Amino acid sequence: MGARHQARERALQILFQHDIHGKADVPLDEFWHEYSASEESKAFAERLVQGVLEHKKELDAVIGKYATNWTVSRMPVVDRNILRAGLYELLWLDEVPAKVTMDEAIELAKSFGDDDASKFVNAVLDKALATESRLAAKRAELDRPVGRRADSD
């Protein structure tokens, strides 16, 4: 498992715990004591978590705009946090290719969500990617051939 894939899994676990417990802070020291990860994975996971928490209101508004017949508060906790992290990557992490973000979010949904989660995550992120003006550069990169990049793990 690549460092960034592991980071995304750990970030999802942290965000899930945060969502369930509703705490304003995330006890990362406790989490890292319980779950091992490389320093690279920890750093990327914490970047994702902090970014999602910092931009949660905006992320939820965008997700709600593209999640047909769903409110963010009624989504399964796993699905909404995969969507938040994936959308955060798309909007704020320019160095991560959109294809990588999409593939990783879908894989997380397959691993941690129910049978329909991957389709749901794919549909919402795809609509956001296709429609949000802030994602025009990410859309354009999808049309270019992508070789193996450092983030494609």
Side-chain angles (χ1 to χ4, degrees):
M1 172 184 333
R4 289 223 171 157
H5 180 78
Q6 181 185 51
R8 288 178 181 95
E9 283 189 357
R10 297 296 186 242
L12 176 60
Q13 291 168 317
I14 294 166
L15 290 167
F16 183 92
Q17 287 180 10
H18 179 271
D19 213 354
I20 291 293
H21 298 296
K23 293 182 181 178
D25 62 336
V26 178
L28 293 176
D29 291 339
E30 290 176 30
F31 181 85
W32 294 126
H33 181 72
E34 186 75 25
Y35 298 97
S36 64
S38 69
E39 290 304 313
E40 181 184 352
S41 289
K42 286 181 187 179
F44 190 69
E46 289 181 12
R47 185 176 176 197
L48 288 175
V49 169
Q50 295 308 322
V52 166
L53 296 179
E54 182 179 325
H55 298 283
K56 185 174 157 187
K57 186 177 261 185
E58 184 178 356
L59 293 167
D60 285 356
V62 174
I63 292 165
K65 191 163 126 181
Y66 299 110
T68 309
N69 300 322
W70 280 94
T71 61
V72 175
S73 64
R74 301 278 308 188
M75 288 177 189
V77 177
V78 170
D79 296 2
R80 80 171 155 244
N81 283 293
I82 292 170
L83 287 168
R84 286 171 177 160
L87 191 56
Y88 173 76
E89 278 193 46
L90 288 171
L91 289 168
W92 281 281
L93 300 185
D94 293 335
E95 74 274 13
V96 181
K99 180 161 180 36
V100 171
T101 298
M102 296 290 290
D103 290 347
E104 287 286 328
I106 292 165
E107 287 305 312
L108 287 172
K110 286 178 182 176
S111 295
F112 295 101
D114 67 18
D115 292 341
D116 294 324
S118 63
K119 293 178 212 148
F120 178 67
V121 165
N122 183 45
V124 173
L125 290 179
D126 192 52
K127 284 181 194 174
L129 188 58
T131 309
E132 284 295 301
S133 61
R134 296 177 290 175
L135 293 173
K138 293 275 185 163
R139 272 194 304 276
E141 87 184 17
L142 287 176
D143 294 333
R144 293 190 305 261
V146 178
R148 178 146 172 84
R149 295 187 174 150
D151 192 348
S152 61
D153 57 3

PDB file of all heavy atoms in Angstrom, residues 84-114:
ATOM      1  N   ARG A  84     -15.979  14.635   1.343  1.00  0.00           N
ATOM      2  CA  ARG A  84     -15.311  15.838   1.855  1.00  0.00           C
ATOM      3  C   ARG A  84     -13.816  15.803   1.542  1.00  0.00           C
ATOM      4  O   ARG A  84     -13.251  16.785   1.054  1.00  0.00           O
ATOM      5  CB  ARG A  84     -15.514  15.962   3.360  1.00  0.00           C
ATOM      6  CG  ARG A  84     -16.894  16.395   3.776  1.00  0.00           C
ATOM      7  CD  ARG A  84     -17.079  16.283   5.277  1.00  0.00           C
ATOM      8  NE  ARG A  84     -18.382  16.774   5.702  1.00  0.00           N
ATOM      9  CZ  ARG A  84     -18.948  16.448   6.856  1.00  0.00           C
ATOM     10  NH1 ARG A  84     -18.329  15.626   7.701  1.00  0.00           N
ATOM     11  NH2 ARG A  84     -20.132  16.938   7.179  1.00  0.00           N
ATOM     12  N   ALA A  85     -13.179  14.680   1.843  1.00  0.00           N
ATOM     13  CA  ALA A  85     -11.730  14.577   1.610  1.00  0.00           C
ATOM     14  C   ALA A  85     -11.411  14.643   0.117  1.00  0.00           C
ATOM     15  O   ALA A  85     -10.470  15.330  -0.292  1.00  0.00           O
ATOM     16  CB  ALA A  85     -11.192  13.291   2.222  1.00  0.00           C
ATOM     17  N   GLY A  86     -12.198  13.948  -0.697  1.00  0.00           N
ATOM     18  CA  GLY A  86     -11.963  13.971  -2.139  1.00  0.00           C
ATOM     19  C   GLY A  86     -12.167  15.353  -2.732  1.00  0.00           C
ATOM     20  O   GLY A  86     -11.356  15.822  -3.535  1.00  0.00           O
ATOM     21  N   LEU A  87     -13.214  16.015  -2.316  1.00  0.00           N
ATOM     22  CA  LEU A  87     -13.471  17.356  -2.819  1.00  0.00           C
ATOM     23  C   LEU A  87     -12.411  18.338  -2.326  1.00  0.00           C
ATOM     24  O   LEU A  87     -11.983  19.219  -3.072  1.00  0.00           O
ATOM     25  CB  LEU A  87     -14.877  17.804  -2.411  1.00  0.00           C
ATOM     26  CG  LEU A  87     -15.395  19.071  -3.061  1.00  0.00           C
ATOM     27  CD1 LEU A  87     -15.370  18.964  -4.588  1.00  0.00           C
ATOM     28  CD2 LEU A  87     -16.807  19.365  -2.582  1.00  0.00           C
ATOM     29  N   TYR A  88     -11.973  18.168  -1.086  1.00  0.00           N
ATOM     30  CA  TYR A  88     -10.885  19.015  -0.587  1.00  0.00           C
ATOM     31  C   TYR A  88      -9.643  18.851  -1.474  1.00  0.00           C
ATOM     32  O   TYR A  88      -9.022  19.826  -1.866  1.00  0.00           O
ATOM     33  CB  TYR A  88     -10.551  18.687   0.874  1.00  0.00           C
ATOM     34  CG  TYR A  88      -9.327  19.425   1.342  1.00  0.00           C
ATOM     35  CD1 TYR A  88      -9.394  20.784   1.647  1.00  0.00           C
ATOM     36  CD2 TYR A  88      -8.097  18.790   1.422  1.00  0.00           C
ATOM     37  CE1 TYR A  88      -8.256  21.484   2.032  1.00  0.00           C
ATOM     38  CE2 TYR A  88      -6.964  19.480   1.802  1.00  0.00           C
ATOM     39  CZ  TYR A  88      -7.046  20.822   2.102  1.00  0.00           C
ATOM     40  OH  TYR A  88      -5.915  21.517   2.468  1.00  0.00           O
ATOM     41  N   GLU A  89      -9.307  17.611  -1.784  1.00  0.00           N
ATOM     42  CA  GLU A  89      -8.152  17.371  -2.670  1.00  0.00           C
ATOM     43  C   GLU A  89      -8.349  18.052  -4.017  1.00  0.00           C
ATOM     44  O   GLU A  89      -7.427  18.679  -4.534  1.00  0.00           O
ATOM     45  CB  GLU A  89      -7.936  15.867  -2.901  1.00  0.00           C
ATOM     46  CG  GLU A  89      -7.177  15.177  -1.813  1.00  0.00           C
ATOM     47  CD  GLU A  89      -6.723  13.789  -2.227  1.00  0.00           C
ATOM     48  OE1 GLU A  89      -6.189  13.616  -3.348  1.00  0.00           O
ATOM     49  OE2 GLU A  89      -6.912  12.855  -1.423  1.00  0.00           O
ATOM     50  N   LEU A  90      -9.529  17.898  -4.592  1.00  0.00           N
ATOM     51  CA  LEU A  90      -9.779  18.492  -5.900  1.00  0.00           C
ATOM     52  C   LEU A  90      -9.663  20.020  -5.864  1.00  0.00           C
ATOM     53  O   LEU A  90      -9.085  20.627  -6.762  1.00  0.00           O
ATOM     54  CB  LEU A  90     -11.166  18.104  -6.417  1.00  0.00           C
ATOM     55  CG  LEU A  90     -11.347  16.659  -6.872  1.00  0.00           C
ATOM     56  CD1 LEU A  90     -12.818  16.364  -7.155  1.00  0.00           C
ATOM     57  CD2 LEU A  90     -10.491  16.362  -8.092  1.00  0.00           C
ATOM     58  N   LEU A  91     -10.205  20.629  -4.823  1.00  0.00           N
ATOM     59  CA  LEU A  91     -10.253  22.087  -4.758  1.00  0.00           C
ATOM     60  C   LEU A  91      -8.965  22.741  -4.264  1.00  0.00           C
ATOM     61  O   LEU A  91      -8.625  23.831  -4.711  1.00  0.00           O
ATOM     62  CB  LEU A  91     -11.422  22.534  -3.867  1.00  0.00           C
ATOM     63  CG  LEU A  91     -12.816  22.312  -4.444  1.00  0.00           C
ATOM     64  CD1 LEU A  91     -13.875  22.525  -3.365  1.00  0.00           C
ATOM     65  CD2 LEU A  91     -13.059  23.235  -5.620  1.00  0.00           C
ATOM     66  N   TRP A  92      -8.252  22.102  -3.337  1.00  0.00           N
ATOM     67  CA  TRP A  92      -7.131  22.782  -2.696  1.00  0.00           C
ATOM     68  C   TRP A  92      -5.766  22.132  -2.887  1.00  0.00           C
ATOM     69  O   TRP A  92      -4.760  22.755  -2.586  1.00  0.00           O
ATOM     70  CB  TRP A  92      -7.405  22.967  -1.205  1.00  0.00           C
ATOM     71  CG  TRP A  92      -8.326  24.117  -0.945  1.00  0.00           C
ATOM     72  CD1 TRP A  92      -7.992  25.438  -0.932  1.00  0.00           C
ATOM     73  CD2 TRP A  92      -9.720  24.052  -0.684  1.00  0.00           C
ATOM     74  NE1 TRP A  92      -9.105  26.197  -0.688  1.00  0.00           N
ATOM     75  CE2 TRP A  92     -10.190  25.378  -0.524  1.00  0.00           C
ATOM     76  CE3 TRP A  92     -10.635  23.016  -0.571  1.00  0.00           C
ATOM     77  CZ2 TRP A  92     -11.508  25.675  -0.249  1.00  0.00           C
ATOM     78  CZ3 TRP A  92     -11.948  23.321  -0.291  1.00  0.00           C
ATOM     79  CH2 TRP A  92     -12.377  24.638  -0.138  1.00  0.00           C
ATOM     80  N   LEU A  93      -5.700  20.908  -3.352  1.00  0.00           N
ATOM     81  CA  LEU A  93      -4.396  20.264  -3.520  1.00  0.00           C
ATOM     82  C   LEU A  93      -4.078  20.152  -5.005  1.00  0.00           C
ATOM     83  O   LEU A  93      -4.293  19.115  -5.633  1.00  0.00           O
ATOM     84  CB  LEU A  93      -4.370  18.890  -2.831  1.00  0.00           C
ATOM     85  CG  LEU A  93      -4.635  18.892  -1.328  1.00  0.00           C
ATOM     86  CD1 LEU A  93      -4.462  17.495  -0.753  1.00  0.00           C
ATOM     87  CD2 LEU A  93      -3.760  19.894  -0.594  1.00  0.00           C
ATOM     88  N   ASP A  94      -3.551  21.224  -5.540  1.00  0.00           N
ATOM     89  CA  ASP A  94      -3.275  21.283  -6.978  1.00  0.00           C
ATOM     90  C   ASP A  94      -2.275  20.231  -7.439  1.00  0.00           C
ATOM     91  O   ASP A  94      -2.308  19.813  -8.589  1.00  0.00           O
ATOM     92  CB  ASP A  94      -2.756  22.675  -7.360  1.00  0.00           C
ATOM     93  CG  ASP A  94      -3.805  23.750  -7.204  1.00  0.00           C
ATOM     94  OD1 ASP A  94      -5.016  23.418  -7.276  1.00  0.00           O
ATOM     95  OD2 ASP A  94      -3.431  24.916  -7.001  1.00  0.00           O
ATOM     96  N   GLU A  95      -1.396  19.799  -6.557  1.00  0.00           N
ATOM     97  CA  GLU A  95      -0.373  18.839  -6.952  1.00  0.00           C
ATOM     98  C   GLU A  95      -0.908  17.415  -7.120  1.00  0.00           C
ATOM     99  O   GLU A  95      -0.229  16.547  -7.664  1.00  0.00           O
ATOM    100  CB  GLU A  95       0.793  18.846  -5.944  1.00  0.00           C
ATOM    101  CG  GLU A  95       0.500  18.166  -4.611  1.00  0.00           C
ATOM    102  CD  GLU A  95      -0.171  19.055  -3.564  1.00  0.00           C
ATOM    103  OE1 GLU A  95      -0.658  20.152  -3.920  1.00  0.00           O
ATOM    104  OE2 GLU A  95      -0.219  18.645  -2.404  1.00  0.00           O
ATOM    105  N   VAL A  96      -2.123  17.172  -6.657  1.00  0.00           N
ATOM    106  CA  VAL A  96      -2.719  15.840  -6.780  1.00  0.00           C
ATOM    107  C   VAL A  96      -3.594  15.813  -8.032  1.00  0.00           C
ATOM    108  O   VAL A  96      -4.564  16.562  -8.137  1.00  0.00           O
ATOM    109  CB  VAL A  96      -3.562  15.476  -5.542  1.00  0.00           C
ATOM    110  CG1 VAL A  96      -4.154  14.077  -5.696  1.00  0.00           C
ATOM    111  CG2 VAL A  96      -2.726  15.562  -4.274  1.00  0.00           C
ATOM    112  N   PRO A  97      -3.270  14.946  -8.986  1.00  0.00           N
ATOM    113  CA  PRO A  97      -4.083  14.858 -10.210  1.00  0.00           C
ATOM    114  C   PRO A  97      -5.526  14.443  -9.900  1.00  0.00           C
ATOM    115  O   PRO A  97      -5.774  13.619  -9.011  1.00  0.00           O
ATOM    116  CB  PRO A  97      -3.382  13.770 -11.033  1.00  0.00           C
ATOM    117  CG  PRO A  97      -2.005  13.688 -10.474  1.00  0.00           C
ATOM    118  CD  PRO A  97      -2.119  14.044  -9.026  1.00  0.00           C
ATOM    119  N   ALA A  98      -6.462  15.009 -10.636  1.00  0.00           N
ATOM    120  CA  ALA A  98      -7.877  14.711 -10.427  1.00  0.00           C
ATOM    121  C   ALA A  98      -8.160  13.215 -10.562  1.00  0.00           C
ATOM    122  O   ALA A  98      -8.940  12.650  -9.797  1.00  0.00           O
ATOM    123  CB  ALA A  98      -8.736  15.496 -11.417  1.00  0.00           C
ATOM    124  N   LYS A  99      -7.530  12.565 -11.530  1.00  0.00           N
ATOM    125  CA  LYS A  99      -7.750  11.131 -11.733  1.00  0.00           C
ATOM    126  C   LYS A  99      -7.351  10.335 -10.494  1.00  0.00           C
ATOM    127  O   LYS A  99      -8.048   9.403 -10.103  1.00  0.00           O
ATOM    128  CB  LYS A  99      -6.984  10.644 -12.955  1.00  0.00           C
ATOM    129  CG  LYS A  99      -7.184   9.146 -13.216  1.00  0.00           C
ATOM    130  CD  LYS A  99      -6.840   8.769 -14.615  1.00  0.00           C
ATOM    131  CE  LYS A  99      -7.017   7.317 -14.931  1.00  0.00           C
ATOM    132  NZ  LYS A  99      -8.108   6.613 -14.336  1.00  0.00           N
ATOM    133  N   VAL A 100      -6.253  10.721  -9.878  1.00  0.00           N
ATOM    134  CA  VAL A 100      -5.799  10.036  -8.657  1.00  0.00           C
ATOM    135  C   VAL A 100      -6.820  10.243  -7.543  1.00  0.00           C
ATOM    136  O   VAL A 100      -7.217   9.293  -6.861  1.00  0.00           O
ATOM    137  CB  VAL A 100      -4.397  10.535  -8.229  1.00  0.00           C
ATOM    138  CG1 VAL A 100      -4.013   9.993  -6.856  1.00  0.00           C
ATOM    139  CG2 VAL A 100      -3.356  10.145  -9.263  1.00  0.00           C
ATOM    140  N   THR A 101      -7.251  11.479  -7.369  1.00  0.00           N
ATOM    141  CA  THR A 101      -8.239  11.775  -6.329  1.00  0.00           C
ATOM    142  C   THR A 101      -9.513  10.967  -6.545  1.00  0.00           C
ATOM    143  O   THR A 101     -10.041  10.357  -5.608  1.00  0.00           O
ATOM    144  CB  THR A 101      -8.574  13.278  -6.308  1.00  0.00           C
ATOM    145  OG1 THR A 101      -7.381  14.011  -6.000  1.00  0.00           O
ATOM    146  CG2 THR A 101      -9.650  13.599  -5.293  1.00  0.00           C
ATOM    147  N   MET A 102     -10.012  10.953  -7.762  1.00  0.00           N
ATOM    148  CA  MET A 102     -11.230  10.212  -8.070  1.00  0.00           C
ATOM    149  C   MET A 102     -11.054   8.714  -7.807  1.00  0.00           C
ATOM    150  O   MET A 102     -11.894   8.092  -7.149  1.00  0.00           O
ATOM    151  CB  MET A 102     -11.640  10.439  -9.530  1.00  0.00           C
ATOM    152  CG  MET A 102     -12.007  11.869  -9.866  1.00  0.00           C
ATOM    153  SD  MET A 102     -13.540  12.424  -9.132  1.00  0.00           S
ATOM    154  CE  MET A 102     -14.716  11.453 -10.073  1.00  0.00           C
ATOM    155  N   ASP A 103      -9.968   8.151  -8.334  1.00  0.00           N
ATOM    156  CA  ASP A 103      -9.713   6.713  -8.151  1.00  0.00           C
ATOM    157  C   ASP A 103      -9.596   6.349  -6.675  1.00  0.00           C
ATOM    158  O   ASP A 103     -10.148   5.333  -6.229  1.00  0.00           O
ATOM    159  CB  ASP A 103      -8.444   6.287  -8.889  1.00  0.00           C
ATOM    160  CG  ASP A 103      -8.592   6.297 -10.397  1.00  0.00           C
ATOM    161  OD1 ASP A 103      -9.736   6.396 -10.894  1.00  0.00           O
ATOM    162  OD2 ASP A 103      -7.552   6.208 -11.097  1.00  0.00           O
ATOM    163  N   GLU A 104      -8.878   7.168  -5.928  1.00  0.00           N
ATOM    164  CA  GLU A 104      -8.686   6.891  -4.496  1.00  0.00           C
ATOM    165  C   GLU A 104     -10.011   6.983  -3.733  1.00  0.00           C
ATOM    166  O   GLU A 104     -10.293   6.148  -2.875  1.00  0.00           O
ATOM    167  CB  GLU A 104      -7.656   7.845  -3.901  1.00  0.00           C
ATOM    168  CG  GLU A 104      -6.238   7.544  -4.321  1.00  0.00           C
ATOM    169  CD  GLU A 104      -5.652   6.317  -3.643  1.00  0.00           C
ATOM    170  OE1 GLU A 104      -6.009   6.013  -2.480  1.00  0.00           O
ATOM    171  OE2 GLU A 104      -4.811   5.651  -4.269  1.00  0.00           O
ATOM    172  N   ALA A 105     -10.824   7.990  -4.033  1.00  0.00           N
ATOM    173  CA  ALA A 105     -12.111   8.133  -3.351  1.00  0.00           C
ATOM    174  C   ALA A 105     -13.014   6.935  -3.649  1.00  0.00           C
ATOM    175  O   ALA A 105     -13.674   6.402  -2.754  1.00  0.00           O
ATOM    176  CB  ALA A 105     -12.780   9.438  -3.772  1.00  0.00           C
ATOM    177  N   ILE A 106     -13.026   6.503  -4.893  1.00  0.00           N
ATOM    178  CA  ILE A 106     -13.845   5.346  -5.273  1.00  0.00           C
ATOM    179  C   ILE A 106     -13.355   4.085  -4.568  1.00  0.00           C
ATOM    180  O   ILE A 106     -14.156   3.287  -4.066  1.00  0.00           O
ATOM    181  CB  ILE A 106     -13.857   5.185  -6.812  1.00  0.00           C
ATOM    182  CG1 ILE A 106     -14.621   6.353  -7.448  1.00  0.00           C
ATOM    183  CG2 ILE A 106     -14.456   3.840  -7.223  1.00  0.00           C
ATOM    184  CD1 ILE A 106     -14.395   6.508  -8.942  1.00  0.00           C
ATOM    185  N   GLU A 107     -12.047   3.907  -4.495  1.00  0.00           N
ATOM    186  CA  GLU A 107     -11.493   2.741  -3.792  1.00  0.00           C
ATOM    187  C   GLU A 107     -11.827   2.763  -2.306  1.00  0.00           C
ATOM    188  O   GLU A 107     -12.143   1.724  -1.719  1.00  0.00           O
ATOM    189  CB  GLU A 107      -9.980   2.638  -4.014  1.00  0.00           C
ATOM    190  CG  GLU A 107      -9.603   2.187  -5.405  1.00  0.00           C
ATOM    191  CD  GLU A 107     -10.266   0.866  -5.805  1.00  0.00           C
ATOM    192  OE1 GLU A 107     -10.234  -0.106  -5.024  1.00  0.00           O
ATOM    193  OE2 GLU A 107     -10.840   0.810  -6.905  1.00  0.00           O
ATOM    194  N   LEU A 108     -11.744   3.939  -1.690  1.00  0.00           N
ATOM    195  CA  LEU A 108     -12.125   4.050  -0.274  1.00  0.00           C
ATOM    196  C   LEU A 108     -13.591   3.695  -0.082  1.00  0.00           C
ATOM    197  O   LEU A 108     -13.950   3.004   0.873  1.00  0.00           O
ATOM    198  CB  LEU A 108     -11.856   5.461   0.253  1.00  0.00           C
ATOM    199  CG  LEU A 108     -10.404   5.838   0.483  1.00  0.00           C
ATOM    200  CD1 LEU A 108     -10.286   7.323   0.811  1.00  0.00           C
ATOM    201  CD2 LEU A 108      -9.780   4.990   1.579  1.00  0.00           C
ATOM    202  N   ALA A 109     -14.434   4.151  -0.994  1.00  0.00           N
ATOM    203  CA  ALA A 109     -15.864   3.842  -0.904  1.00  0.00           C
ATOM    204  C   ALA A 109     -16.111   2.340  -1.058  1.00  0.00           C
ATOM    205  O   ALA A 109     -16.956   1.766  -0.366  1.00  0.00           O
ATOM    206  CB  ALA A 109     -16.641   4.629  -1.947  1.00  0.00           C
ATOM    207  N   LYS A 110     -15.363   1.693  -1.950  1.00  0.00           N
ATOM    208  CA  LYS A 110     -15.504   0.241  -2.120  1.00  0.00           C
ATOM    209  C   LYS A 110     -15.058  -0.494  -0.860  1.00  0.00           C
ATOM    210  O   LYS A 110     -15.666  -1.495  -0.470  1.00  0.00           O
ATOM    211  CB  LYS A 110     -14.670  -0.249  -3.302  1.00  0.00           C
ATOM    212  CG  LYS A 110     -15.256   0.103  -4.650  1.00  0.00           C
ATOM    213  CD  LYS A 110     -14.354  -0.360  -5.778  1.00  0.00           C
ATOM    214  CE  LYS A 110     -14.887   0.021  -7.136  1.00  0.00           C
ATOM    215  NZ  LYS A 110     -13.941  -0.351  -8.218  1.00  0.00           N
ATOM    216  N   SER A 111     -14.003  -0.004  -0.224  1.00  0.00           N
ATOM    217  CA  SER A 111     -13.453  -0.672   0.961  1.00  0.00           C
ATOM    218  C   SER A 111     -14.275  -0.419   2.220  1.00  0.00           C
ATOM    219  O   SER A 111     -14.422  -1.314   3.051  1.00  0.00           O
ATOM    220  CB  SER A 111     -12.028  -0.193   1.225  1.00  0.00           C
ATOM    221  OG  SER A 111     -11.175  -0.568   0.176  1.00  0.00           O
ATOM    222  N   PHE A 112     -14.789   0.803   2.375  1.00  0.00           N
ATOM    223  CA  PHE A 112     -15.410   1.176   3.645  1.00  0.00           C
ATOM    224  C   PHE A 112     -16.907   1.443   3.575  1.00  0.00           C
ATOM    225  O   PHE A 112     -17.561   1.505   4.604  1.00  0.00           O
ATOM    226  CB  PHE A 112     -14.710   2.414   4.223  1.00  0.00           C
ATOM    227  CG  PHE A 112     -13.281   2.168   4.597  1.00  0.00           C
ATOM    228  CD1 PHE A 112     -12.251   2.575   3.757  1.00  0.00           C
ATOM    229  CD2 PHE A 112     -12.956   1.518   5.769  1.00  0.00           C
ATOM    230  CE1 PHE A 112     -10.924   2.339   4.088  1.00  0.00           C
ATOM    231  CE2 PHE A 112     -11.639   1.276   6.116  1.00  0.00           C
ATOM    232  CZ  PHE A 112     -10.614   1.683   5.275  1.00  0.00           C
ATOM    233  N   GLY A 113     -17.448   1.609   2.371  1.00  0.00           N
ATOM    234  CA  GLY A 113     -18.869   1.924   2.235  1.00  0.00           C
ATOM    235  C   GLY A 113     -19.696   0.699   1.910  1.00  0.00           C
ATOM    236  O   GLY A 113     -19.190  -0.426   1.848  1.00  0.00           O
ATOM    237  N   ASP A 114     -20.983   0.938   1.683  1.00  0.00           N
ATOM    238  CA  ASP A 114     -21.857  -0.169   1.303  1.00  0.00           C
ATOM    239  C   ASP A 114     -21.734  -0.446  -0.195  1.00  0.00           C
ATOM    240  O   ASP A 114     -20.892   0.145  -0.877  1.00  0.00           O
ATOM    241  CB  ASP A 114     -23.315   0.110   1.721  1.00  0.00           C
ATOM    242  CG  ASP A 114     -23.949   1.270   0.964  1.00  0.00           C
ATOM    243  OD1 ASP A 114     -23.436   1.667  -0.106  1.00  0.00           O
ATOM    244  OD2 ASP A 114     -24.983   1.776   1.439  1.00  0.00           O
TER     245      ASP A 114
END
